[in-house]
């Protein structure tokens, strides 16, 4: 269902080591934590931190297998339900980027209402998904982001955001040289905090800038 680029890799290459087959990391692949599941804890009344809703965090790590900087982009099948900050950027070798994802309050209320009526089992089959894409970029391109100040949620200034968007659009269209892209899919689970249920308190710290939508296939 994710609309991916034409030049991409959803799996790692493999090498033979004795009788075992081992996955060989791709140099343009960011290490994503958590690996496959984003869990959002739903509470009745989130704490007043300025942003109502449940949140979780995701970490992107440049493994250092290449000296090139890696660009990343985070997409979701539900762009109106989640706010992702930052949703795209540049990661330098051996460094990390923390992504914050917020489940907006309107949807939190809907999910909590569903739990009250039908129980946790009604939330256990979420079709929401995220996709993290990464690719290597040239030194000239990554140099534009070096020492640039970043705003709230790690967002870059408008000109750099437009440069990243244009770069990803070019990769998706296949214009210019073919660029290999790593795609990492993550599922979503919504869980109600039983301790807070009926007690009316608490919020979960968990992912937060706006992610672009991914059309279903």
């Amino acid at each position: 269902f994710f609309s991916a680029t034409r030049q991409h890799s959803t799996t790692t290459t493999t090498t033979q080591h004795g009788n075992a087959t081992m996955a060989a990391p791709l140099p343009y692949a960011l290490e994503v934590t958590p690996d496959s599941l984003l869990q959002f804890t739903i509470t009745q009344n989130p704490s007043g931190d300025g942003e109502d809703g449940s949140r979780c965090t995701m970490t992107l790590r440049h493994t250092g297998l290449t000296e090139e900087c890696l660009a990343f982009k985070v997409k979701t099948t539900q762009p109106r339900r989640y706010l992702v900050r930052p949703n795209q950027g540049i990661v330098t070798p051996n460094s990390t980027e923390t992504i914050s994802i917020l489940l907006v309050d309107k949807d939190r209320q809907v999910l909590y209402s569903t739990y009250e009526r039908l129980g946790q089992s009604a939330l256990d089959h979420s079709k929401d998904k995220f996709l993290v894409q990464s690719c290597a970029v040239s030194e000239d391109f990554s140099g534009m982001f070096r020492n640039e100040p970043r705003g709230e949620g790690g967002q870059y200034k408008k000109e750099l955001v437009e440069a990243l968007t244009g770069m990803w659009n070019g990769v998706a269209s296949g214009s210019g040289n073919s660029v290999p892209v790593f795609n990492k899919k993550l599922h979503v689970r919504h869980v109600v905090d039983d301790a807070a249920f009926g007690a009316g308190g608490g919020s979960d710290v968990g992912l937060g800038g706006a992610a672009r939508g991914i059309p279903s296939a």
Side-chain angles (χ1 to χ4, degrees):
F1 58 87
F2 281 112
S3 176
T5 58
R6 285 185 291 176
Q7 300 81 27
H8 69 280
S9 176
T10 55
T11 59
T12 58
T13 56
T14 58
T15 58
Q16 292 296 127
H17 181 71
N19 295 324
T21 301
M22 302 175 61
L26 300 171
Y28 53 88
L30 288 170
E31 182 181 274
V32 181
T33 305
D35 179 67
S36 60
L37 181 69
L38 299 175
Q39 181 166 300
F40 294 83
T41 300
I42 312 297
T43 57
Q44 186 176 17
N45 298 304
S47 61
D49 61 355
E51 287 187 308
D52 288 340
S54 300
R55 293 181 290 169
C56 66
T57 56
M58 175 169 56
T59 301
L60 310 180
R61 186 177 76 89
H62 190 310
T63 60
L65 294 178
T66 175
E67 294 183 357
E68 296 177 300
C69 292
L70 301 180
F72 71 87
K73 188 178 186 67
V74 181
K75 299 180 179 181
T76 176
T77 54
Q78 295 288 345
R80 295 184 179 181
R81 174 172 288 183
Y82 303 98
L83 298 177
V84 183
R85 298 191 181 121
N87 72 314
Q88 57 181 349
I90 299 291
V91 185
T92 58
N94 299 303
S95 67
T96 61
E97 179 80 31
T98 299
I99 310 299
S100 175
I101 305 178
L102 170 70
L103 171 66
V104 301
D105 191 53
K106 179 181 178 181
D107 288 275
R108 177 196 62 79
Q109 293 177 11
V110 170
L111 291 167
Y112 192 83
S113 177
T114 299
Y115 174 86
E116 288 184 305
R117 291 184 291 107
L118 303 173
Q120 178 62 47
S121 61
L123 305 181
D124 285 342
H125 303 287
S126 174
K127 295 182 180 180
D128 298 357
K129 292 180 176 66
F130 281 81
L131 176 69
V132 179
Q133 296 182 298
S134 64
C135 70
V137 293
S138 68
E139 184 175 350
D140 287 343
F141 185 84
S142 62
M144 296 190 298
F145 298 82
R146 192 171 296 118
N147 299 323
E148 283 291 332
R150 299 170 69 174
E152 183 180 359
Q155 299 286 65
Y156 293 100
K157 64 183 181 181
K158 181 180 178 181
E159 293 82 358
L160 295 180
V161 171
E162 291 176 346
L164 278 167
T165 300
M167 185 276 295
W168 280 113
N169 288 342
V171 170
S173 66
S175 61
N177 295 327
S178 176
V179 178
V181 176
F182 176 73
N183 294 310
K184 177 68 173 180
K185 294 180 182 179
L186 296 95
H187 295 267
V188 170
R189 185 169 188 240
H190 303 111
V191 179
V192 171
D193 184 355
D194 288 329
F197 182 67
S203 67
D204 183 55
V205 176
L207 296 177
R212 298 185 178 275
I214 307 166
S216 297

